[in-house]
Amino acid sequence: MTSHLSYGVAPYAVLGPLVWKVVQEWREQGGLPLALGSWWLHLLLLFVVRGLTYQFWFTYGNMLFFTRRRRVVADGVDFRQIDAEWDCRVRDAAGGAAADSGDGGPAGGAFLVGAGSIGLVYVHALAFDYLRAMGYSNVEVVSPRVFEAFPLLRYILYTPSYLSLHHRERRGNFCLFMPALDWLGGTLDERAWSLQRAAYDGEPGGGALGTPGFVFLVHVVDIMSSMHVPFTLRSLSARPFANHLYLLPFWPLAFFFMLLMWCCSKTFVVSFYCLRGQLHQTWSVPRYGFQYFLPAAKKGINKQIELAILRADRMGVKVLSLAALNKNEALNGGGTLFVNKHPDLRVRVVHGNTLTAAVILNEIPSNVKEVFMTGATSKLGRAIALYLCRKKIRVLMFTMSSERFVKIQREAPAEFQQYLVQVTKYQAAQNCKTWIVGKWLSPREQRWAPSGTHFHQFVVPPIIGFRRDCTYGKLAAMRLPKDVQGLGSCEYTMERGVVHACHAGGVVHFLEGWDHHEVGAIDVDRIDVVWNAALKHGLAPV
């Protein structure tokens, strides 16, 4: 497995001596070394421009909201392939990738006959890189009508479809860029033209992404995490998100795109994977976490979510699961707003919180007799408290609202109501070693927990672990089944192959074929049903 450091700045450290040489010449010559014909500067510029060329094609090719209908190969790129590509990239950087067989020969020949120049090096290297990156982009950008109008062009310019046949079967289409050479050698696979047409027009036979069966509707968390999307840096999104110093210079650009999305963007496709022959996609509402707390933005956000649900309904999506703040009670009643407004929806809208509650409950050891809970009257807090009291576990519900507490207590069967206890001070939990946290805890509040306490969490963002003599759980999550295909990005801070419990809840809803909406309050009677269904389908606790 590639180390975490190698996914950051380590591969680019080989450019350090080159940068130092340019800076040294700058200081010695008292000006821009370019004017003096410094090859060191030109080498540095070539590395930079070449990198930007590949980044452009990579970003474009993975912007599924632009390219999903013109893909050549439908398969997703999984973690194994990403690691293999990155290992090759590290070796190339260390060994001097600029000297590969495609770049050296023609330019070197021009210099030998006295026709070489700096401009020729730039033109040759960048044209080579541009065409090579286009070929590996997995997206058709040249219309087949162009080749019909200019038939000879198809023998001069290759396409991603042409290259994909070579990599798929390795029995033809060996030449880069110019199919004419394959034609002369008898190795031209003419199926490339029909494949190119199918891919460009989104016809059967191409790699266009079809209609997903399941959609997970997320939103952007913050500006830094917006750079974690797969089409920015695949090597970054293939690791759990963390704030890195090398991302800070790109913050202004990310801030600009935040403003742009706020003004004129709509819900877009972020990533996909396949599970048991069915396409699962992640869509994102173009709004950031802080915007969900702006009163003026509430209407617009609900409109974006509603349009996404209606779009999924038209497409034939079976289940759409709401993530994070998209199901906020204060925003839309946990999804009830949309279900009530559109009673004829064919797509099932779910919040997935039933499985979230199940994950938290199954983390609690069976010998626990008392728990302390903050956020006790929230949607999740209510369900967890009602479930635990039925198990004769005493629940210290921290809340200042006696009205909300009594309402929840009355939902419990009469013989179990005594196990629900309202508390208004953290001191009440100073002898309880099992805390369930649904509301942020400060260091001062955490100090009331006795040594050895474990903090189970459903608060977003998670609390900071200030106590070294205590342990802290992570947000509720589950590992996807082992037969998932094409999964190559981490879901925010989750490990590879792990998704938030509400995402997993939507997957279970889809796999089971349940025909009901899961919105509003959690049905406590279904917690065990959903948990058992998740285990049956191969999802596993983390």
Side-chain angles (χ1 to χ4, degrees), residues 34 37-50 53 103 107 111 116-130:
L34 179 62
S38 169
W39 278 102
W40 296 111
L41 179 61
H42 289 302
L43 278 174
L44 181 61
L45 291 175
L46 275 172
F47 274 124
V48 172
V49 178
R50 291 184 72 189
T53 301
D103 289 350
F111 276 95
S117 66
I118 292 176
L120 177 64
V121 173
Y122 274 99
V123 171
H124 171 73
L126 297 182
F128 182 90
D129 287 327
Y130 186 88

Side-chain angles (χ1 to χ4, degrees), residues 45-67:
L45 291 175
L46 275 172
F47 274 124
V48 172
V49 178
R50 291 184 72 189
L52 291 175
T53 301
Y54 282 103
Q55 182 62 46
F56 165 78
W57 276 108
F58 166 79
T59 296
Y60 175 74
N62 286 277
M63 285 181 165
L64 299 176
F65 45 92
F66 284 146
T67 63

Side-chain angles (χ1 to χ4, degrees), residues 182-254:
D182 272 310
W183 178 74
L184 290 173
T187 55
L188 177 66
D189 189 337
E190 295 190 356
R191 291 179 299 166
W193 319 131
S194 58
L195 177 59
Q196 194 242 353
R197 173 181 288 278
Y200 187 88
D201 293 337
E203 299 174 351
L209 296 181
T211 299
F214 168 74
V215 167
F216 187 48
L217 186 64
V218 303
H219 63 80
V220 190
V221 177
D222 54 35
I223 293 176
M224 290 296 287
S225 66
S226 69
M227 292 180 270
H228 191 246
V229 290
F231 55 81
T232 299
L233 286 173
R234 191 160 66 195
S235 57
L236 180 64
S237 65
R239 308 293 297 185
F241 172 75
N243 287 303
H244 298 289
L245 290 177
Y246 60 80
L247 294 177
L248 287 177
F250 303 100
W251 191 92
L253 183 63

Side-chain angles (χ1 to χ4, degrees), residues 251-438:
W251 191 92
L253 183 63
F255 181 79
F256 167 77
F257 278 103
M258 183 271 291
L259 296 177
L260 187 65
M261 286 200 300
W262 200 351
C263 294
C264 57
S265 183
K266 60 182 181 180
T267 299
F268 57 93
V269 183
V270 177
S271 61
F272 72 95
Y273 61 85
C274 290
L275 181 62
R276 293 164 195 172
Q278 293 291 332
L279 180 64
H280 294 213
Q281 289 183 351
T282 296
W283 297 359
S284 178
V285 174
R287 295 295 183 268
Y288 290 63
F290 76 91
Q291 294 170 329
Y292 284 73
F293 300 97
L294 301 177
K298 178 178 178 180
K299 182 178 179 180
I301 291 173
N302 274 333
K303 187 65 175 178
Q304 290 277 355
I305 298 172
E306 181 182 7
L307 290 175
I309 293 173
L310 293 177
R311 173 188 171 194
D313 192 60
R314 290 193 302 270
M315 291 173 62
V317 175
K318 301 297 183 183
V319 174
L320 183 143
S321 184
L322 301 173
L325 296 174
N326 285 334
K327 57 189 174 191
N328 186 277
E329 282 293 319
L331 183 70
N332 51 48
T336 55
L337 173 68
F338 313 113
V339 172
N340 292 338
K341 186 175 180 180
H342 303 283
D344 297 326
L345 285 174
R346 292 171 297 171
V347 62
R348 302 294 93 178
V349 180
V350 305
H351 52 50
N353 282 342
T354 308
L355 186 56
T356 302
V359 170
I360 296 171
L361 288 164
N362 280 275
E363 290 177 353
I364 300 174
S366 58
N367 61 347
V368 168
K369 299 301 181 183
E370 181 179 74
V371 302
F372 172 73
M373 185 190 303
T374 66
T377 60
S378 65
K379 180 193 303 184
L380 273 167
R382 165 196 163 273
I384 293 171
L386 290 173
Y387 184 95
L388 289 175
C389 79
R390 295 181 183 183
K391 301 293 183 180
K392 297 184 178 181
I393 296 175
R394 191 165 182 257
V395 184
L396 305 179
M397 300 175 63
F398 180 85
T399 177
M400 299 297 178
S401 175
S402 297
E403 180 183 354
R404 297 179 69 177
F405 167 76
V406 170
K407 182 179 179 181
I408 293 173
Q409 188 182 46
R410 287 175 177 171
E411 287 189 68
E415 66 271 27
F416 300 122
Q417 291 181 3
Q418 60 180 312
Y419 293 99
L420 299 181
V421 180
Q422 180 186 9
V423 298
T424 57
K425 294 182 179 181
Y426 289 96
Q427 292 93 314
Q430 57 187 333
N431 296 316
C432 181
K433 291 189 176 183
T434 301
W435 285 39
I436 302 176
V437 182

Side-chain angles (χ1 to χ4, degrees), residues 77-108:
V77 179
D78 60 20
F79 294 116
R80 182 179 299 179
Q81 181 176 337
I82 292 172
D83 287 343
E85 290 175 358
W86 190 263
D87 287 339
C88 291
R89 184 179 177 186
V90 173
R91 290 194 295 269
D92 288 345
D100 63 45
S101 60
D103 289 350

